[in-house]
Amino acid sequence: MSLIFSFILDGIILKYAPYSLFTVLIFIFLPRDNLKKYYIISFLIGLLYDFLYANILFYNSFIFLTIAYFINFYFKKFRYNFINILYLSIMLIIYYYTFSFLILSLIKYISFDLKRYLNIVLNSLILNIFFIAIVFLVKRRKLKVKYEN
């Protein structure tokens, strides 16, 4: 249900924060017992993003998969709580936009503009922090039971 909500929300606020969906990966699909399924789902979500919102096939699939690996690595080292989720989400948003701007600038798909980059990152951070807080509050009880064991 959260995945569908996130796709709809991303479609609505695409202009301001188009990639909040991968933050949902942190909340919903981090199964400690089935990482293969988690990575496949992450790749497929990226592929869906490529089809629905992007013009470059497999671009988001690759990024979402690397994000999934990083999320798994991060939560092996740190506790699963709101502060760590927020910190990780901020790092992932900055990673996503930095990587995207660098790659798309290298292939001359866009021209790199620092002001535009900072504007997009800051807008995305603000909206995603609210999005993360809402999802965390809704999922808090279920997450506590699932990850504190």
Side-chain angles (χ1 to χ4, degrees), residues 22-114:
F22 63 77
T23 60
V24 174
L25 293 174
I26 297 170
F27 291 106
I28 300 170
F29 295 113
L30 189 60
R32 292 182 179 186
D33 56 336
N34 195 350
L35 287 174
K36 182 179 179 182
K37 179 180 176 183
Y38 174 61
Y39 295 138
I40 290 170
I41 290 170
S42 300
F43 181 82
L44 292 176
I45 290 171
L47 192 60
L48 268 172
Y49 239 83
D50 287 330
F51 283 125
L52 295 175
Y53 300 119
N55 294 328
I56 303 173
L57 192 59
F58 297 113
Y59 178 73
N60 285 304
S61 303
F62 170 74
I63 292 176
F64 278 41
L65 188 59
T66 59
I67 286 171
Y69 280 112
F70 188 75
I71 290 169
N72 180 45
F73 175 77
Y74 184 85
F75 285 118
K76 283 182 179 178
K77 306 289 182 193
F78 299 101
R79 286 181 45 117
Y80 197 86
N81 60 36
F82 181 71
I83 299 299
N84 285 334
I85 289 170
L86 190 61
Y87 178 72
L88 177 63
S89 298
I90 290 169
M91 287 188 333
L92 292 176
I93 291 165
I94 292 170
Y95 160 77
Y96 179 83
Y97 284 111
T98 302
F99 184 79
S100 294
F101 265 80
L102 291 175
I103 295 298
L104 295 176
S105 294
L106 271 169
I107 63 170
K108 304 289 187 209
Y109 191 77
I110 62 170
S111 59
F112 188 80
D113 179 11
L114 185 59

Side-chain angles (χ1 to χ4, degrees), residues 127-139:
L127 287 172
N128 278 292
I129 287 170
F130 286 120
F131 179 73
I132 292 161
I134 291 168
V135 172
F136 186 80
L137 290 173
V138 169
K139 293 288 208 177

